[in-house]
Amino acid sequence: MTTPTTTYPIGTPGQAWGPAEVSAWRAQLVRQRSYADDVLTVFERLRARFEVLPYGEVAHGSDVYPLFALQSLEWQPGLPGVLVTGGVHGYETSGVHGALRFLDQHAEAYAGRVNLLVAPCVSPWAYERIHRWNFDAIDPNRSFKAGSQVPESAALMRLVAPLLGQFAVHIDLHETTDTDASEFSPAKAARDGVPHTPVHIPDGFYLVDDTENPQPEFQQAIIVAVERVTHIAPSDAQGGLIGAPLSGRGVIRYPLKSLGLCASLTGARYTTTTEVYPDSPRATPEQCNTAQATAVCAAIDFVLAQP
C-alpha cells in the first residue's frame, strides 16, 4: 500500500507543532479498548507461573497505567537472558498479544534453560487508543536513549538497567500497518513541519537487524520459522523494504542505538525487531499473534543451539 502526498488536518504546513496542535491531536483520540481487561487480567492468570514485576506507572491526568513485566520465577546466574518487548507502539496489537501468547503457551518449555523477562505492553495509553505515539505525540520507539524524558521508554530502561550484560537476546515485537502510510506518516510530517513523503507498506512479515551488530544467521532462523505461519514480505520495486535495502530475505537493517530503538537497550548480541503485517488479505489476527510467538521461540532456539 502506498498513499499519495497529503495535508494533515492539524497544524500549518511547514511549521512544527506546538502545544496547541498536540492538544488538538490528542482531543481527536478516543479510548477503544482496555489495557486492564486485555493485559492486566492475563498477568493475574500467569502469576502462578511467573514473577510479576511492577516497574512504574504512566500517568496522564486521571488516566493512570501501572506497568508490569513478567520474569522467570528463578533467575539463575549463568543462563542466557532473554528480553521480549511488545506494545512499544500501542496500535501494534499482535506485539502485545503475541508476547502474552508466548508466555502462556511456550515459555514453560524454556524454564531452567534461559532467564526470561517479558514486557508485553510498554505503552498502555497508546494501546487503548490504538495509536503509535504516546500522550505527548512522541514515538517511544525513538526514545530509548540516556536521559530519555519519555515515560514509557524511561521506565523500561530502568527495569532493564540492573540486568545489563546478562541478556543474550532481545526480540521487540512490532507490526507494520496500512495506517503507517495513511495516518502516521502524514501526521509525523505535520508534527515536524516537513513535507510528507509517501510510504510503501510491504505485504508480509519482515525483520529489522542492527546495522552496527548484524546477525544474519539469527535473522534467517526466525524468517524460516515464521514462514510456516505467515508469508514473508517480498522486496519492493527498488529491491528493498520501506526505503531500506535488503540484507537478506525478509530482513533490513537500521542503526538501532543511534535511532533510539527499543531493540538497542540491552546491548545483547542477538537482537531483532519483528514486523508483522496484519492488514494483509493473506493474514488473520490469529496468524499474526502466532507469528510473533513463533518468532520469540525461534530466537531462543537459535541462541540455545550456539556453542
Side-chain angles (χ1 to χ4, degrees):
M1 175 183 177
T2 304
T3 55
T5 302
T6 184
T7 299
Y8 197 71
I10 295 173
T12 301
Q15 296 182 19
W17 288 1
E21 288 79 15
V22 172
S23 293
W25 164 81
R26 190 185 302 128
Q28 69 180 348
L29 303 180
V30 295
R31 182 182 284 110
Q32 301 183 58
R33 54 190 178 187
S34 169
Y35 170 66
D37 292 346
D38 296 353
V39 180
L40 298 187
T41 56
V42 180
F43 287 179
E44 289 306 310
R45 180 162 52 84
L46 295 173
R47 187 177 290 274
R49 289 185 273 164
F50 302 93
E51 182 179 359
V52 179
L53 300 177
Y55 68 96
E57 65 180 25
V58 176
H60 301 302
S62 61
D63 295 326
V64 179
Y65 300 93
L67 301 172
F68 293 95
L70 293 96
Q71 182 176 278
S72 299
L73 283 175
E74 295 185 14
W75 191 277
Q76 302 180 43
L79 293 182
V82 176
L83 177 63
V84 182
T85 47
V88 174
H89 291 144
Y91 72 112
E92 295 171 4
T93 304
S94 71
V96 176
H97 294 283
L100 293 171
R101 173 166 297 193
F102 166 75
L103 285 165
D104 190 31
Q105 299 184 8
H106 303 286
E108 189 172 357
Y110 299 103
R113 303 168 67 197
V114 300
N115 293 322
L116 284 172
L117 179 63
V118 182
C121 190
V122 174
S123 298
W125 184 89
Y127 174 82
E128 291 197 333
R129 288 153 183 84
I130 313 182
H131 211 282
R132 182 183 185 91
W133 295 340
N134 75 352
F135 180 86
D136 297 310
I138 298 174
D139 187 341
N141 202 35
R142 296 298 186 274
S143 306
F144 288 90
K145 300 180 178 181
S148 177
Q149 298 300 303
V150 175
E152 297 85 354
S153 307
L156 186 62
M157 292 172 72
R158 288 193 298 270
L159 171 70
V160 169
L163 300 171
L164 291 179
Q166 299 183 46
F167 290 103
V169 60
H170 177 192
I171 181 166
D172 189 29
L173 308 180
H174 284 256
E175 295 180 345
T176 299
T177 74
D178 286 348
T179 54
D180 288 343
S182 63
E183 165 65 21
F184 301 119
S185 176
K188 181 178 182 298
R191 182 198 65 182
D192 298 342
V194 300
H196 172 238
T197 301
V199 175
H200 176 267
I201 303 301
D203 182 356
F205 179 92
Y206 65 99
L207 295 171
V208 182
D209 194 4
D210 187 358
T211 303
E212 298 163 341
N213 176 36
Q215 298 292 339
E217 293 181 0
F218 172 68
Q219 310 297 333
Q220 287 305 312
I222 298 173
I223 290 290
V224 169
V226 170
E227 190 171 22
R228 303 186 189 109
V229 177
T230 191
H231 59 291
I232 306 304
S235 60
D236 58 24
Q238 289 71 46
L241 292 170
I242 60 168
L246 287 175
S247 62
R249 182 166 176 262
V251 182
I252 60 174
R253 290 176 182 160
Y254 284 169
L256 303 184
K257 189 172 183 61
S258 62
L259 290 176
L261 301 184
C262 182
S264 71
L265 76 91
T266 64
R269 177 176 180 181
Y270 298 106
T271 62
T272 196
T273 302
T274 66
E275 294 289 353
V276 168
Y277 180 44
D279 297 313
S280 173
R282 300 166 60 190
T284 65
E286 175 72 13
Q287 281 177 296
C288 292
N289 294 341
T290 301
Q292 301 282 24
T294 298
V296 176
C297 292
I300 299 173
D301 290 342
F302 180 90
V303 170
L304 290 175
Q306 303 311 299

